[in-house]
Amino acid sequence: PPATVEELYGATSGNNFSGINRPTAGPRAEVERPRGEAPFQLYSLATPNGWKVGILLEELGVAYDAHVVNIGAGEQFGSGFVGASPNSKIPAAVDHEGPGGEPIA
């Protein structure tokens, strides 16, 4: 194992995912979150957890729009997505007809 953190980071430089995890939270870019016609918006990728939410919504008969979030390109760190999922994890959802008619993520 590496003796220091610097040595660990040096060993992973050039790795496709070496720059994704950072010790700070929050958006890294100002990017609008897409919105479709349905009141419920699902933001995810075809991962096991992403499929589960889509299946649940289909089984419940909830009208929703699905949007792809490319985590390989870091799209989960855009300001619009972080507004729906502060820890930048997928899947995320926004119900624009939440309690009192206010959006809820």
Side-chain angles (χ1 to χ4, degrees):
T4 65
V5 170
E6 291 78 13
E7 203 175 302
L8 173 64
Y9 281 114
T12 61
S13 68
N15 180 312
N16 287 341
F17 299 102
S18 63
I20 286 190
N21 291 324
R22 296 184 184 167
T24 57
R28 299 181 189 170
E30 292 295 321
V31 180
E32 291 279 328
R33 182 176 58 234
R35 180 175 176 188
E37 297 292 321
F40 197 91
Q41 304 294 300
L42 172 64
Y43 303 92
S44 191
L45 191 62
T47 63
N49 286 337
W51 279 103
K52 291 173 194 172
V53 176
I55 291 168
L56 172 70
L57 294 172
E58 290 290 329
E59 291 290 323
L60 293 175
V62 174
Y64 70 98
D65 294 308
H67 305 278
V68 174
V69 178
N70 185 341
I71 60 175
E75 291 179 4
Q76 73 274 29
F77 300 114
S79 58
F81 186 81
V82 172
S85 177
N87 65 354
S88 300
K89 303 292 183 190
I90 61 167
V94 177
D95 183 355
H96 289 280
E97 294 179 357
E102 295 294 317
I104 186 169

